[in-house]
Amino acid sequence: MITETEAQRTPADLITDAKELRQQVQSVVRDTPVIDIHTHVFPPVFGDMCLSGIDDLLNYHYLIAEVFRSTDVSYACFWKMSKFERADLIWRILFVENTPISEAARGVVSVLDEFGLDSRAQNLKEARDFFNSRNLLDQVDWVLETARVSDVVMTNDPLDEIEAEIWRNGGNPDRRFHTSLRLDSLLNDWPDAARILASQGLHVNTGLSGSTIAELRRFLDNWIKRMRPLYLAISLPADFKFPDENARDRLIHEVVLPTAKQHDLALTLMVGVRRGVNPTLRAAGDGVGKADVTALERLCAENPEVRFLATFLARENQHELCVAARKFNNLMPFGCWWFLNNPSIAAEITRERLELLGPTFIPQHSDASVLEQLIYKWRHAREFIADALSESYEKLLKSGRAATREEIERDVTRMFSGNFREWVGVKSSVARIEGVS
Ligand code: RAT
Ligand code: ZN
């Protein structure tokens, strides 16, 4: 409660009115540039990997899973269709015959709205004409500016032959796009990875004996030199254990952790995905499972010199992740991942993190696969972040401490870029992460 005498003493920049406070938080959250720390977006130099436009937006696997809930079209028939036929079907079922209420469907509406396109159109002609008329390089500039995303971190897999070839031919010249070295193919399907690496001339074997570990260290050293990643990353199943008795555990102990230490690279863990629950849905067929957060705690405890970024897919794991981060200051929780990226759950997780961790976490990453998704994922994320943050400042006000705009800007900047810069060892405070890629 602020008395009249206190109000007289109040410096002009203290925001003592709750409504004004909310408006200020909304405006700071809306305008502060963000580093998008995990995406599947690529710049045009990556060719077909750079997805953009209405047909890619509609072929998003989040929407593919949803369309099968409202159609009798068989999986086999769906996968025989061209990308354009699938987009037509998804548009008709989810946007013409139904109201696009779900988060992923509303996302397309938000994108169309940003471009002034009609989300009630009976077909895709207008949208296709519009996106076809855009120059891809200009579109990248426009989208990043509109979404106020200063930097994007891609997901880069050296075992993907198409991607590897792009890197061998010079890689990525766009300094707004940064790399993360994704280790899923190496760690989650070692026998297959061993076959690919052996075919490339590496002396590796599935039993991980002989020169295998040394060869893998050399392989990663070379790719780190070439890609200059900001971090190493892996997604892990719900039943991930640490330690464990399998090839992945040996690879983590003998290859990944020593590499992270040698190159001073953070390690990103995305835990709780159950791959291929319905394989006929392909990329749309993955599910979620509750994981064991104590595995992450052990990793953090045994490797205090490694900085971990972690996100869990199950709602049930979110509180434990916050508590783990209170115990280990080499652990940075990030993002409301995939099935959690819905306003109701994301708002709950963000409030919980603010209450348990203050500003010492990274509230969201987009996980965008299609360029224009950056627009809706960040528009929607800024809404739930502003709501949760407004509540925190309002509670503080009720407790007797008003915030200033400067303080709000400091806190939001820390969560939108500062925490990540610190984690990946980038000291620069300019929007571009200078000198890293
Ligand atoms: O969120 C997604 O789009 C998932 O399909 C995955 O890409 C996940 O984010 C991952 O990086 O494995
Ligand atoms: Zn992802």
Side-chain angles (χ1 to χ4, degrees), residues 38 40 60-62 155 182 184 235 270 275 283 286 337-338 365 367 369:
H38 168 63
H40 303 266
Y60 191 30
H61 63 82
Y62 292 27
T155 298
R182 185 74 175 235
D184 284 39
S235 78
M270 306 172 74
R275 299 278 178 200
D286 298 340
W337 182 23
W338 203 341
H365 64 276
D367 233 313
S369 297

Side-chain angles (χ1 to χ4, degrees), residues 6 88 396:
E6 281 168 332
D88 285 331
L396 208 49

Side-chain angles (χ1 to χ4, degrees), residues 1 10 26 45 110 143 167 174 265 281 289 346 353 392 419 422:
M1 174 79 84
T10 300
Q26 280 165 349
V45 73
S110 291
V143 167
W167 285 105
D174 190 329
L265 282 169
L281 274 174
R353 288 175 177 170
S392 299
N419 288 333
E422 190 192 324

Side-chain angles (χ1 to χ4, degrees), residues 259-272:
T259 300
K261 287 172 196 171
Q262 186 196 324
H263 294 271
D264 198 19
L265 282 169
L267 180 56
T268 294
L269 305 175
M270 306 172 74
V271 193

